[in-house]
Amino acid sequence: MAERVKEGIVAPTGLIAHGRGEAFDYILGEKTTENARRAEMVAVATLLDGIRPVISVNGNTAALCAKELIELAEATKSRIEVNLFHRTEERVEKVCAFLEDAGAKEVLGRNPDALLPGVSSDRARCTKAGIYSADVVLVPLEDGDRAEALVRFGKKVIAIDLNPLSRTAKAALITIVDEVTRAVPAMTAMVPELRRNGERRLALVNSFDNLRNLEEAMGIMRANLSSLQSQGKE
Ligand code: PTJ
């Protein structure tokens, strides 16, 4: 990540966001929980049933798992759009080129021609062909303002966020509380089975409750903290 900051792919504050993620992952147990796995399945079902699914990519996620995001996009027929929190034209170009070097055939975001309503800055800029007209948007490591704006604009938002208390985690329809480099390849591996089984997709989506999902994730973290505390006393 430090190298990617020097190259201008990751924003300097991206390192702080990464550290926040690492802290939550430690408390989570640094593994994909059953709870996260279920959310990942629901997310894949939602992407597969989407009419215009889009994966929004920022500097951190490009640096951590460009190839894996491209594979997930191809498997779920989602488009990829670069959408940055710390937006400069130079960084947009660098992240787009980074994804293309990793094998992406089409990357949206260089020429934004639409504005996401309810976001009062450059961060509102997006493309009509991508995020603006998407029905489902996967936002790994998203900031709260934009996640809330996407939900208000009627998008089915899927978040990947290790912090179950973040505004993004709470605003999303589906929140995957897992580390992005574990979550994304696991989701791609789920595609073949879920693609074949429409009834299963429907059942997964209908039985999912994000509030309960987030409470479970917090419960796992509380239990891990208690066990770490009792180990410390031995
Ligand atoms: O590249 P840019 O300019 O678009 O900026 C990207 C960052 C990530 C810097 C920007 O969106 C940001 O500041 O995000 P936040 O508000 O820090 O939110 C990121 C969330 O992702 C936090 O809740 C972190 O705990 C979480 N997170 C960090 N690393 C990971 C993670 N979740 C899953 N996997 C990670 N590796």
Side-chain angles (χ1 to χ4, degrees):
M1 291 297 272
E3 283 303 309
R4 297 282 108 93
V5 173
K6 283 186 207 150
E7 292 164 11
I9 305 289
V10 173
T13 56
L15 287 183
I16 302 172
H18 188 65
R20 268 198 292 277
E22 282 184 330
F24 278 104
D25 201 24
Y26 180 68
I27 301 171
L28 189 67
E30 292 175 312
K31 60 175 192 289
T32 300
T33 62
E34 263 315 302
N35 158 275
R37 201 176 150 70
R38 193 172 56 244
E40 284 160 11
M41 289 183 95
V42 178
V44 171
T46 305
L47 285 170
L48 288 175
D49 284 332
I51 297 164
R52 300 173 72 90
V54 171
I55 302 179
S56 175
V57 178
N58 62 22
N60 281 49
T61 48
L64 288 169
C65 52
K67 202 169 117 315
E68 292 80 2
L69 284 165
I70 295 162
E71 283 165 1
L72 178 64
E74 283 173 0
T76 56
K77 300 191 179 13
S78 304
R79 298 184 98 170
I80 290 179
E81 178 160 339
V82 169
N83 205 293
L84 301 183
F85 183 75
H86 303 285
R87 186 188 172 93
T88 64
E89 293 316 308
E90 194 191 350
R91 270 194 74 227
V92 171
E93 177 51 41
K94 282 189 175 171
V95 179
C96 288
F98 188 77
L99 289 164
E100 285 160 355
D101 284 348
K105 292 189 190 74
E106 181 201 49
V107 181
L108 301 168
R110 279 188 177 98
N111 300 305
D113 53 3
L115 291 175
L116 178 66
V119 178
S120 59
S121 66
D122 253 12
R123 294 170 199 154
R125 300 180 76 193
C126 58
T127 71
K128 275 189 195 141
I131 287 175
Y132 190 83
S133 59
D135 55 341
V136 180
V137 189
L138 171 64
V139 288
L141 286 62
E142 181 62 282
D143 92 284
D145 283 346
R146 206 165 38 198
E148 287 172 352
L150 284 167
V151 172
R152 277 199 304 272
F153 196 36
K155 311 295 178 194
K156 291 183 181 174
V157 173
I158 303 168
I160 303 177
D161 194 329
L162 277 159
N163 179 1
L165 297 163
S166 75
R167 276 198 295 136
T168 298
K170 289 189 208 158
L173 181 70
I174 303 156
T175 304
I176 298 164
V177 183
D178 198 4
E179 207 281 324
V180 71
T181 65
R182 291 195 302 268
V184 172
M187 289 167 73
T188 306
M190 291 168 185
V191 170
E193 197 221 312
L194 286 176
R195 181 179 288 293
R196 281 194 298 270
N197 199 334
E199 273 179 31
R200 175 130 173 77
R201 294 201 300 276
L202 196 65
L204 279 163
V205 170
N206 285 344
S207 63
F208 185 77
D209 173 349
N210 203 36
L211 202 61
R212 200 175 60 208
N213 167 52
L214 292 175
E215 278 168 4
E216 275 174 21
M218 283 186 267
I220 293 165
M221 289 182 175
R222 261 196 307 275
N224 285 347
L225 281 172
S226 300
S227 105
L228 285 168
Q229 193 184 17
S230 50
Q231 279 166 26
K233 283 183 190 153
E234 281 165 13

